[in-house]
Amino acid sequence: MRTAAETMSGKKTEVKKFESKYGYFTKDGREYVITRPDTPRPWINVVCNGDFGFVVSQTGSGFSWLDNSNLSRVTRWEQDLIKDEWGKYIYIRDNKTGEFWSATWKPCCPKFDFYEARYGQGYVILTSVFKGIRAVLTMFVDRDEPVEIWNLALTNESEKERSLSLFSYFEFCLGNAGDTHREFQKTFIETEINCEDGVIYGKKRSALVPGFISTGLSEIPVEAFHAAWPKPVAYDSDKEAFFGRYGNILTPRAVREGKLLNTDGRWVDSVASLQNDVTLKPGETKAVIYTVGASRIKETSARDRFKKLIAKYRSEETVKKELERFKALWNDFIEKSSIETPDEAFNFMTNIWLKYQAIAGRLWARCAYYQSSGGIGFRDQLQDSLVFLPLKPELTRKQILLHAEQQFEDGTVHHWWHPDTGKGAVTHMTDDLLWLAFITLHYIDETNDETVLDEIAPFLPGHTGEVKRGSIYDHCIRAMDKVLSRWSVRGLPLIGEGDWNDGLSHVGVRMKGESVWLGHFFYWILKQFAPICGKRGEPERMKNYLDRAEKLKAAINEHAWDGEWYIRATRDDGRPLGSKVCKGKEGGVIFLNAQTWAVFHGTATPERAKQAMASCEKHLFREYGALLFTPAYTKSDPTIGYLSRYAPSIRENGGVYTHAATWAVQALCAMRNGDLAFEVYSRMCPIVRGLNPDLYFVEPYATPGNVDGPDSPNFGRGGWTWYTGSGAWTFRVGMNYIVGVRPVREGLMIDPVIPKSWKKLSVKRFFRGATYKIEIENPKGVSSGVKQVTVDGKAIEGNII
């Protein structure tokens, strides 16, 4: 049951929405408040300005980075979601009693009198009360600069004066998180105390070693700082000095004894700790402002920049002003386009959290707790950029140009790459090539701006090292022509080393296996791109693309229909995946994507579309969303790929893979089945699932990459949250297909496919420089079918405005 109740949070009365034993949403959905720290898994927030960012969990653990969350990590963190005890911490010591605790639950895990973690868009507020001391830690990043701010406000709620010492602590990384040979890596790090500025500087010298020794950015390592205001009374940069010999993070020597030793230099295991002493009268509040920032050593003015940032954050007034500036950036994204429907969970996710997840976590930070990539995936971040279309479409355009630069002259692309490193993965995955054209087509639908096709972008250099350039139009047709050259004798595209599902990594390694899903995907692209070729003076190419599209559709229906659904693929030896012949032998009898894309991309006949979706409903639509396929594989199969090596029903091996499950909702909307479409959506909605947190486990405000399927003993448990392409797609499917306000070349189409019980909904939609306010009424309780559209009080023909 979804309820709202009045509650006291500290001294603030607010309405709780979608409350569970671990937390709740605030009335407007803009914040999620975690009320106890022992959540089933770390529940995190990702805070990033597009260059500098940090991840923090409800326990206070986490890490920071500069521009690349993997290769350019500022602070050290180890991926352990069970212990979750790596982070940037503040210890509080009572100097009279010698008792100490941490301001956040980790690392000391005190039994607080009160604790909450409050997450918003661009900030985190961690509040604790222990032995009469209230600690409110507000964390955010500067809107423009590579610096994070921790504002720690301490209030003495006891009846006696308190003498406290504060000790901040974190370990420097200053490079690649993957460089695990720390005894080697730490020899390149040095620290320096500057008492005049109240700061510890840390930098990593360029190692100049071969890539097989260090995989980091050895040519441009990171320089960082940690400062506090008021100025600290003592400093430490040596882990051994801070912990004590054989000491640990729970009871470090420095905190036990109440003093730092002012260590720094080249000969230490480099950390950063600042000591501030605070005296508080009863009822008094004082704040200490901490900053952590970073830059590249190659920037000769790094120290000057640091000094300005340190000086900037020396007043609470500045902290409040800059926090509001950063919130304003997110408000612009949140408020640009929005919906109001009878379902509040749907509203909260669509209006707020899906946008934030896709932009902050996926496009800017490119990391979370379950996966810390730092790289850019060719297909991945292109898809993520769909979130910008109804908000700031110029950012989608920017993404298109960025990805075009990762294409070779023959149309192939880097599967992923790390910017500014020259590092990128060259694979034989076939679908990667086509996402540039797919996103460009959708960008043009949104903006009616075909000038993007004339933008010039370089190709990756070939064997000669020569860099050539071409228009985005040229980049798109090279990619499509390359895929058309990877064709089977039966007229179907070859899957190569994967086709969106990376786990199908060995289906077609000999370039003989076919991908039916890729055929559905490519059919629409060919049909949509062909008229553009005609307009640009290439009628023969237009004719060829249209001809190839129709032959592809015919081949799919001749060779890939299995009687009740479409098969998913064929292996190099010709054996199918996703067919009835797999029943009782190996698993993978029916696959979701082969049905959904056939429906909304139009390769299925009306009869087969209906039958395919009926098969999905029968076999794949389960309690917690749509399964990627069923049953799961139980044995490793070298002719399928690494997904068969996962445990059954984990991730791509027969679980609910949320990215694909969103396409099931889109397909049901295409079938005009509003009740079932929204039911399938709700089954996987994080807010709905979060009402049973001890089954679901993960955050109720972010989409998970996967949910365990029925062949797992943990059926229904979520995993790999935040860093998943499902954030942008869930937002897009909700806005464009359930609410049904979506762009077409002719204008803005109004085509809702909703539950019959919804009598009214409204939409604010930014489109081609104007903001449309749309009211949709459903007095007769139907799922779809627009009877009449009026604009400014006048009826129009059709449903496009």
Side-chain angles (χ1 to χ4, degrees):
M1 182 180 296
R2 309 176 194 180
T3 63
E6 295 294 327
T7 183
M8 290 293 291
S9 173
K11 296 181 180 180
K12 182 180 179 182
T13 302
E14 63 185 351
V15 175
K16 294 181 176 182
K17 294 291 183 76
F18 305 104
E19 184 181 12
S20 77
K21 64 191 288 187
Y22 296 106
Y24 61 91
F25 288 90
T26 54
K27 183 178 181 179
D28 61 359
R30 290 295 298 267
E31 291 183 331
Y32 191 82
V33 183
I34 300 168
T35 53
R36 50 188 283 186
D38 59 335
T39 54
R41 287 289 183 268
W43 288 5
I44 70 165
N45 200 3
V46 180
V47 179
C48 186
N49 62 15
D51 177 40
F52 186 95
F54 66 84
V55 169
V56 66
S57 77
Q58 86 289 349
T59 71
S61 301
F63 58 96
S64 307
W65 66 86
L66 172 70
D67 73 52
N68 189 310
S69 54
N70 189 9
L71 298 186
S72 188
R73 198 169 290 177
V74 176
T75 66
R76 189 181 174 202
W77 177 77
E78 298 295 334
Q79 189 181 48
D80 189 330
L81 280 82
I82 306 303
K83 294 193 297 183
D84 187 33
E85 62 181 22
W86 286 87
K88 301 164 293 180
Y89 302 122
I90 300 173
Y91 299 86
I92 303 172
R93 183 180 191 273
D94 187 315
N95 291 325
K96 183 176 181 180
T97 65
E99 187 175 17
F100 63 88
W101 62 97
S102 45
T104 53
W105 194 51
K106 289 288 185 171
C108 296
C109 299
K111 294 182 178 179
F112 289 119
D113 299 310
F114 174 83
Y115 190 80
E116 74 171 25
R118 187 173 291 261
Y119 292 163
Q121 295 77 58
Y123 64 93
V124 171
I125 303 172
L126 302 165
T127 302
S128 64
V129 179
F130 187 76
K131 297 295 178 74
I133 298 298
R134 176 176 292 270
V136 181
L137 178 61
T138 303
M139 306 174 68
F140 66 99
V141 299
D142 189 285
R143 177 168 173 162
D144 306 305
E145 298 283 357
V147 60
E148 67 185 88
I149 300 89
W150 322 338
N151 186 61
L152 179 66
L154 297 172
T155 301
N156 181 3
E157 296 183 344
S158 71
E159 296 179 354
K160 58 185 178 181
E161 186 174 89
R162 305 290 289 273
S163 172
L164 306 173
S165 288
L166 310 178
F167 301 86
S168 64
Y169 172 81
F170 62 81
E171 295 190 38
F172 280 120
C173 180
L174 305 180
N176 185 3
D179 281 331
T180 53
H181 185 356
R182 250 187 115 247
E183 286 304 307
F184 178 73
Q185 296 299 325
K186 77 179 188 182
T187 59
F188 299 97
I189 300 176
E190 61 186 82
T191 56
E192 174 190 342
I193 295 169
N194 186 314
C195 298
E196 181 180 349
D197 294 328
V199 63
I200 294 174
Y201 292 111
K203 71 177 181 180
K204 187 173 184 180
R205 300 183 301 279
S206 179
L208 299 177
V209 296
F212 59 82
I213 295 178
S214 172
T215 57
L217 304 177
S218 57
E219 69 279 10
I220 43 174
V222 178
E223 182 169 358
F225 72 87
H226 180 38
W229 184 261
K231 291 180 183 179
V233 298
Y235 309 76
D236 254 335
S237 296
D238 182 6
K239 186 176 181 178
E240 187 172 15
F242 184 81
F243 279 180
R245 188 170 296 175
Y246 297 108
N248 61 64
I249 200 166
L250 297 176
T251 59
R253 179 217 59 82
V255 183
R256 290 199 317 269
E257 298 178 7
K259 62 180 179 180
L260 298 180
L261 303 179
N262 297 316
T263 57
D264 67 355
R266 299 185 177 189
W267 299 272
V268 300
D269 196 327
S270 298
V271 302
S273 180
L274 307 175
Q275 178 179 345
N276 285 75
D277 294 338
V278 178
T279 301
L280 293 172
K281 297 176 181 178
E284 187 177 15
T285 299
K286 290 182 180 179
V288 177
I289 303 167
Y290 298 92
T291 50
V292 178
S295 186
R296 294 292 183 197
I297 293 176
K298 69 176 183 178
E299 299 179 17
T300 56
S301 59
R303 285 293 176 94
D304 291 337
R305 188 182 193 186
F306 289 168
K307 288 177 183 292
K308 290 177 181 177
L309 291 175
I310 293 165
K312 176 179 179 178
Y313 286 100
R314 286 182 173 173
S315 74
E316 286 193 272
E317 182 180 348
T318 298
V319 170
K320 291 176 182 177
K321 182 183 76 173
E322 293 301 324
L323 176 56
E324 290 306 310
R325 285 188 71 239
F326 196 46
K327 285 182 178 179
L329 180 147
W330 288 108
N331 288 341
D332 194 25
F333 283 118
I334 299 303
E335 296 169 3
K336 203 80 169 184
S337 293
S338 61
I339 62 171
E340 187 66 33
T341 76
D343 193 284
E344 204 163 35
F346 181 56
N347 298 342
F348 283 1
M349 291 305 299
T350 305
N351 291 339
I352 303 163
W353 292 96
L354 293 171
K355 296 174 188 173
Y356 184 65
Q357 176 181 350
I359 298 169
R362 182 76 174 180
L363 283 156
W364 289 358
R366 300 188 299 283
C367 85
Y369 252 39
Y370 292 83
Q371 184 178 7
S372 179
S373 167
I376 300 177
F378 196 90
R379 78 159 80 97
D380 296 337
Q381 273 65 50
L382 272 173
Q383 291 179 75
D384 295 330
S385 74
L386 290 169
V387 75
F388 289 134
L389 289 178
L391 312 174
K392 294 179 181 291
E394 65 274 15
L395 297 181
T396 307
R397 182 187 179 113
K398 181 179 179 182
Q399 202 76 32
I400 290 168
L401 296 174
L402 176 70
H403 286 244
E405 294 181 1
Q406 299 300 316
Q407 185 186 59
F408 294 94
E409 283 185 75
D410 68 352
T412 59
V413 300
H414 275 149
H415 181 57
W416 56 256
W417 72 96
H418 283 292
D420 303 319
T421 68
K423 294 180 172 67
V426 177
T427 72
H428 288 96
M429 292 191 185
T430 304
D431 76 298
D432 280 346
L433 287 59
L434 296 175
W435 288 101
L436 185 70
F438 181 86
I439 301 301
T440 300
L441 286 166
H442 283 292
Y443 170 80
I444 293 171
D445 280 347
E446 178 72 37
T447 61
N448 201 28
D449 172 24
E450 291 191 13
T451 65
V452 66
L453 297 167
D454 298 314
E455 291 279 3
I456 303 299
F459 294 101
L460 290 169
H463 297 298
T464 64
E466 182 182 2
V467 176
K468 295 184 179 180
R469 305 170 71 83
S471 67
I472 296 299
Y473 174 78
D474 189 24
H475 280 262
C476 288
I477 62 174
R478 286 175 186 246
M480 289 189 286
D481 289 348
K482 184 65 174 181
V483 176
L484 287 170
S485 74
R486 294 175 170 179
W487 222 246
S488 78
V489 294
R490 301 198 306 171
L492 296 172
L494 301 179
I495 189 171
E497 292 178 332
D499 68 349
W500 173 83
N501 192 333
D502 290 355
L504 298 177
S505 54
H506 282 66
V507 173
V509 289
R510 292 191 283 123
M511 297 306 285
K512 292 182 179 180
E514 303 161 322
S515 170
V516 176
W517 169 81
L518 187 62
H520 301 318
F521 179 50
F522 196 16
Y523 171 78
W524 181 88
I525 295 173
L526 288 167
K527 293 279 286 187
Q528 296 296 312
F529 213 90
I532 291 175
C533 299
K535 287 176 64 176
R536 298 178 73 87
E538 291 197 279
E540 288 302 315
R541 184 181 297 278
M542 177 182 72
K543 183 177 180 298
N544 180 51
Y545 283 177
L546 292 174
D547 180 61
R548 292 295 295 266
E550 293 309 316
K551 288 179 178 177
L552 172 57
K553 181 177 180 177
I556 289 171
N557 282 285
E558 180 182 355
H559 301 297
W561 183 248
D562 202 50
E564 295 179 65
W565 58 79
Y566 289 97
I567 68 169
R568 176 62 173 83
T570 61
R571 289 170 265 212
D572 282 326
D573 62 9
R575 289 181 296 143
L577 300 179
S579 169
K580 292 176 184 176
V581 302
C582 305
K583 189 173 183 179
K585 294 182 179 179
E586 55 188 45
V589 172
I590 176 173
F591 281 69
L592 183 65
N593 287 358
Q595 321 318 318
T596 55
W597 285 75
V599 171
F600 57 70
H601 269 187
T603 49
T605 64
E607 296 78 14
R608 287 184 174 181
K610 184 178 180 179
Q611 177 61 63
M613 294 310 294
S615 295
C616 288
E617 185 175 0
K618 180 179 179 181
H619 300 288
L620 297 172
F621 295 172
R622 294 298 301 263
E623 298 94 313
Y624 309 117
L627 302 177
L628 186 60
F629 63 83
T630 197
Y633 294 107
T634 58
K635 297 180 180 179
S636 176
D637 189 330
T639 70
I640 294 174
Y642 69 77
L643 72 77
S644 71
R645 300 186 179 190
Y646 288 138
S649 277
I650 294 291
R651 290 186 57 74
E652 293 104 320
N653 189 11
V656 176
Y657 206 72
T658 317
H659 192 158
T662 64
W663 296 331
V665 178
Q666 182 177 340
L668 288 167
C669 289
M671 299 296 291
R672 324 306 289 166
N673 193 339
D675 284 320
L676 185 56
F678 196 73
E679 173 62 28
V680 172
Y681 176 97
S682 295
R683 290 177 192 177
M684 62 182 182
C685 176
I687 296 177
V688 177
R689 293 298 323 280
L691 294 172
N692 188 1
D694 289 325
L695 169 64
Y696 186 49
F697 263 52
V698 296
E699 298 98 326
Y701 48 85
T703 57
N706 58 284
V707 172
D708 278 21
D711 298 311
S712 164
N714 303 311
F715 183 28
R717 179 179 295 181
W720 287 48
T721 55
W722 279 91
Y723 194 61
T724 159
S726 61
W729 272 106
T730 307
F731 167 74
R732 177 177 174 81
V733 167
M735 284 285 289
N736 286 20
Y737 298 100
I738 295 176
V739 172
V741 177
R742 63 179 177 271
V744 293
R745 289 297 294 270
E746 296 78 16
L748 199 59
M749 177 179 286
I750 314 299
D751 182 31
V753 182
I754 59 177
K756 294 183 179 72
S757 61
W758 287 10
K759 301 301 183 184
K760 189 175 183 178
L761 57 151
S762 61
V763 184
K764 183 174 79 170
R765 180 56 154 86
F766 177 74
F767 181 64
R768 298 182 185 174
T771 298
Y772 291 78
K773 295 184 178 179
I774 302 165
E775 300 289 333
I776 300 172
E777 296 182 351
N778 183 24
K780 293 187 177 182
V782 299
S783 280
S784 64
V786 174
K787 183 176 181 180
Q788 186 180 65
V789 175
T790 60
V791 178
D792 296 333
K794 297 180 180 180
I796 66 169
E797 291 186 10
N799 62 339
I800 297 176
I801 58 177

